[in-house]
Amino acid sequence: MSKIWFVTGSSRGLGREFVEAALSRGDRVAATARRADDLQDLVAAHGEAILPLAVDVTDRAAVAEAVRRAVGHFGRLDVVVNNAGYAQVGAVEELTEQDLRDQLETNLFGAVWVIQAVLPHLRAQGSGHIIQLSSAAGLIAVPLGGAYHASKWALEGLNEALAGEVAEFGVKVTIVEPGGFATRNGKNPDPLANGHLATPDPAYDDLRGRLAAMTGKQPAGDPKAAARALLKLVDAENPPLRVLFGQGFYPMVQKAYADRLKMWDDWQDLSAEAHGLPDAVAVPAASS
């Protein structure tokens, strides 16, 4: 049975690939972009199977209206892909208040507005699958990515909580964490390499130089392969809460989580001290 999709950030990148893959297999898509004209070639190719919608996801009212139009046009929503976003690059000290607010307005609040707009419809129909595009940068952090990491780490926690809230209504949630994909004419696959740049402070020039020499070492993933993988994900009977797209970052994520566990373990004595447990009090043994 064909599916009805609602996809944000559809004009380029992975969002565009997701829309094209869904349409190519006979699904129907409400596709949003800041400029609906950017989707006209898809309309020409697929006709009434695609509903182009001009939406800035930071505009809550516009998001709600777009969802209303999509449901009115297609009758239901089966897959909701929260894809719209961008990367703000800069040391934490370099970020202006507006840099940080703009990053969170798009990446975090924009996703929330979509979720809140679609959930009444998904709950009423007793089904649906929300796909949240996060990033490997939602699991690990590197210098100069503080704003972007803040937005993606927030999305990780938000959607994990959401999954527990909506499961009883038949609604599924999956957080997709891509590594580097060649979505901009094959440029640097580093997720922070092509973002918005904060005004640089010379104090961080050496750090910038060192990081520039290290980035782009992983081979860029194929966006069309990612789109094919997404189709399998939305067709899965029991999709995962989290899934990495691409292999390059998996060893880094493994090491990051192992390091965290070791650090917590190394500092358990201080953790117990912070709780106020006297040294003489032993932990009771489990009864047999």
Side-chain angles (χ1 to χ4, degrees):
M1 180 174 142
S2 65
K3 291 181 167 61
I4 309 298
W5 297 57
F6 185 92
V7 183
T8 66
S10 299
S11 63
R12 58 185 174 80
L14 289 177
R16 174 80 174 211
E17 297 291 345
F18 296 158
V19 170
E20 291 184 354
L23 290 170
S24 295
R25 74 170 192 172
D27 290 353
R28 290 173 288 170
V29 181
T32 83
R34 284 179 177 267
R35 291 171 10 99
D37 288 349
D38 292 338
L39 304 170
Q40 287 309 305
D41 60 322
L42 293 178
V43 174
H46 298 279
E48 294 183 356
I50 179 170
L51 175 66
L53 298 166
V55 178
D56 179 345
V57 295
T58 66
D59 184 338
R60 188 179 189 181
V63 169
E65 174 61 15
V67 170
R68 186 194 67 78
R69 287 184 59 192
V71 173
H73 186 79
F74 290 123
R76 62 183 289 114
L77 296 176
D78 300 305
V79 181
V80 177
V81 183
N82 253 333
N83 170 73
Y86 71 93
Q88 173 67 54
V89 181
V92 172
E93 187 180 359
E94 295 172 334
L95 297 172
T96 66
E97 179 180 347
Q98 199 61 51
D99 287 337
L100 186 56
R101 288 187 181 279
D102 288 348
Q103 180 76 109
L104 296 176
E105 286 288 346
T106 297
N107 289 16
L108 176 60
F109 284 94
V112 173
W113 303 152
V114 172
I115 291 166
Q116 291 184 339
V118 302
L119 268 181
H121 303 286
L122 303 187
R123 283 192 291 104
Q125 66 193 30
S127 65
H129 193 173
I130 296 172
I131 304 290
Q132 176 62 61
L133 265 289
S134 177
S135 168
L139 302 171
I140 58 178
V142 297
L144 306 184
Y148 185 61
H149 291 306
S151 70
K152 293 299 187 179
W153 285 46
L155 284 172
E156 292 275 340
L158 180 92
N159 280 273
E160 183 169 333
L162 175 69
E165 295 165 358
V166 301
E168 64 183 284
F169 305 120
V171 179
K172 302 169 184 177
V173 177
T174 297
I175 306 166
V176 174
E177 298 146 340
F181 280 83
T183 57
R184 295 194 180 186
N185 301 319
K187 290 184 180 179
N188 196 324
D190 175 18
L192 298 182
N194 296 311
H196 295 211
L197 300 177
T199 302
D201 183 327
Y204 296 96
D205 285 350
D206 286 347
L207 174 62
R208 260 185 290 276
R210 294 195 301 273
L211 290 175
M214 296 168 56
T215 57
K217 302 300 184 184
Q218 297 289 348
D222 178 1
K224 293 188 182 303
R228 292 192 296 270
L230 188 70
L231 294 180
K232 290 186 177 181
L233 190 64
V234 301
D235 290 341
E237 184 175 349
N238 295 301
L241 172 61
R242 286 182 171 86
V243 60
L244 283 164
F245 269 21
Q247 294 185 323
F249 282 85
Y250 186 45
M252 296 171 65
V253 172
Q254 286 181 302
K255 182 178 186 306
Y257 275 74
D259 287 348
R260 287 174 201 173
L261 290 170
K262 183 177 186 305
M263 188 178 298
W264 282 320
D265 187 61
D266 288 346
W267 289 85
Q268 272 298 296
D269 289 346
L270 188 66
S271 298
E273 182 181 331
H275 193 70
L277 295 176
D279 294 339
V281 176
V283 177
S287 57
S288 57

